[in-house]
Amino acid sequence: MISKQFCLIIFCLLGLSCAFLTEPQYKKRSLKEKYIENLLHAQQGLDFSTQCNNVDLANYYNGTAMSGYLNVGIKNSTSALGFVFFGAKGVPASQLKNIPTIIWIEGGPGCTSMYGAFIENGPLYIIQQSNTTFTFKENSFAWTNDYNVIYIDQPIGTGISHAQNKSDIPVDEDQVAQQFYFALNQLYNSENGCFKQVGINPIDTPLFIYGISYAGKYVPSIAQHIVQKGNKFNLKGIGMGDGFTSPYYDTQSLNKYSYDHNLITLDQFNKNQVKVQSIQKFIKEKKWKNATDLFLELLSDVNPSNIDVYNIGRKEFPDSSYLDNLINSQYGQELFSFKLDKTFVQCDPVVYEVLSTDFIKEDCVARVEYLLQKGIYVHVYNGDLDLIVPYYTPQLWLPKLSWSKIRHFIEAPLRVWRQGNTGTIYGYKQQYDLLSFSLILNAGHMVTEDQPEAGYHLIKDQINYVLSKQQF
């Protein structure tokens, strides 16, 4: 991942206390005042301490909008995770604690969750009218129609987040989870944490963590750490969309999916199989560099026509430069109180470099097993047009999970999934007890971007299912 295109292909395998939008007792600051404050920070050194900022989106969104930073606990370091938060639509800030809350994490490693916030399932889409003028339009199928959603750029160095030193960036999933857990404590318990300020708390508020692509590693790793620490945040379930949870089985499914979808010939398939077997052998032997180098070669070999690996039905890769333009603009930094110490990019090459060894490691399936054994709901979903993490991948590793009820899940039928009893067919579902698998039709790697309506019902159906099974 050196160029942006290469970065995306590899990756997507893949505040100071201030006013609340709906709370009159807090004094709101104008954009001009906040911009002047940011300029002062820039002159004196940007402030990345745990903080919570109001975001005035009243002209576009009927709900609480906030942003900020979360310290990750590195001694003598200002490294911090950045985020934007949207309270559920139409719900006063004082009542947000009664609404299920979702943490959304993008993949990479090193890709921004602002993509999820403004292109996939967040409440607003960006409209760029000129080089310096931006507005927003409502996403009818936003997850915030029913839930609070916080979009966190992680690990540090990603997107709007800040890494003071390259050495601060985590090198594996254990370090990712440790830093994220510290940040969550800040979010919930610091007086400057947004959840603390609006009253979101573990007693009243069930928590879910969702993410896509490389977050298929992040999400179970973070969730495992939360549970091991006593589940103090009331985590109920996790979800991984087109997740790179198992590089071992993704290697195998890449070649088969490509052949089954007429992207390569039988001769090419057979030649690729030699490489597949070598990669899997290297993974078993923990020869991570050898495995990664061959894996990157395989990605090219299974796609000789250079089609869009994120959606094989798409004729050209969509332009999302307006996201970079907004966040790098004076307007975007004023509006969201972003404190950038570098040019914002959607996927950060330094983060990818630091986590390059972690990339091919095969350790996150065991984390999923741990979560199931501890009673955490696990939702795995995939678009059927994704080449880079084909739906074959979870169909290979899910049946092999070490879980007492896995036989019941395997025997559960794959049912048609539609809106209501006679509505639009979204895809197929397989579900038993704590484990669910969903296949979404006509969707690629970014399911909620390609099929926003299906993506909305995907999350709503799953959270309703989980909460109907649990008392909290």
Side-chain angles (χ1 to χ4, degrees), residues 7 68 326 468:
C7 144
L326 171 68
S468 70

Side-chain angles (χ1 to χ4, degrees), residues 127-141:
I127 305 296
Q128 182 169 356
Q129 298 176 320
S130 71
N131 289 338
T132 58
T133 306
F134 302 85
T135 59
F136 302 90
K137 70 174 182 178
E138 190 172 11
N139 175 8
S140 301
F141 299 107

Side-chain angles (χ1 to χ4, degrees), residues 119-282:
I119 297 177
E120 294 178 89
N121 52 56
L124 299 173
Y125 293 133
I126 300 164
I127 305 296
Q128 182 169 356
Q129 298 176 320
S130 71
N131 289 338
T132 58
T133 306
F134 302 85
T135 59
F136 302 90
K137 70 174 182 178
E138 190 172 11
N139 175 8
S140 301
F141 299 107
W143 287 11
T144 51
N145 287 348
D146 295 87
Y147 309 109
N148 307 318
V149 187
I150 183 168
Y151 298 86
I152 303 179
D153 269 353
Q154 82 87 51
I156 54 173
T158 300
I160 63 170
S161 290
H162 167 64
Q164 180 175 328
N165 305 298
K166 183 178 178 181
S167 59
D168 290 350
I169 299 172
V171 300
D172 58 31
E173 295 306 311
D174 288 334
Q175 289 184 13
V176 163
Q178 290 163 8
Q179 290 186 8
F180 200 90
Y181 187 80
F182 190 96
L184 283 184
N185 268 312
Q186 297 287 296
L187 184 66
Y188 278 92
N189 300 316
S190 169
E191 293 302 319
N192 293 327
C194 281
F195 281 13
K196 177 74 169 182
Q197 292 190 9
V198 297
I200 291 176
N201 67 86
I203 295 174
D204 300 309
T205 316
L207 178 66
F208 296 82
I209 305 177
Y210 268 72
I212 66 166
S213 193
Y214 203 79
K217 287 192 165 197
Y218 293 151
V219 170
S221 302
I222 291 166
Q224 180 187 50
H225 195 73
I226 289 172
V227 174
Q228 288 174 336
K229 291 290 188 177
N231 199 4
K232 297 176 183 178
F233 305 124
N234 194 17
L235 177 66
K236 296 296 184 184
I238 65 168
M240 297 97 79
D242 298 73
F244 194 55
T245 307
S246 173
Y248 183 92
Y249 287 112
D250 192 63
T251 298
Q252 182 175 330
S253 66
L254 280 168
N255 197 35
K256 187 174 189 309
Y257 182 91
S258 183
Y259 175 68
D260 288 350
H261 289 77
N262 301 308
L263 303 179
I264 56 175
T265 66
L266 178 60
D267 182 63
Q268 288 172 311
F269 171 83
N270 289 331
K271 289 178 179 177
N272 290 344
Q273 276 300 101
V274 177
K275 194 165 292 185
V276 167
Q277 292 165 3
S278 295
I279 296 168
Q280 291 183 321
K281 181 175 181 289
F282 285 139

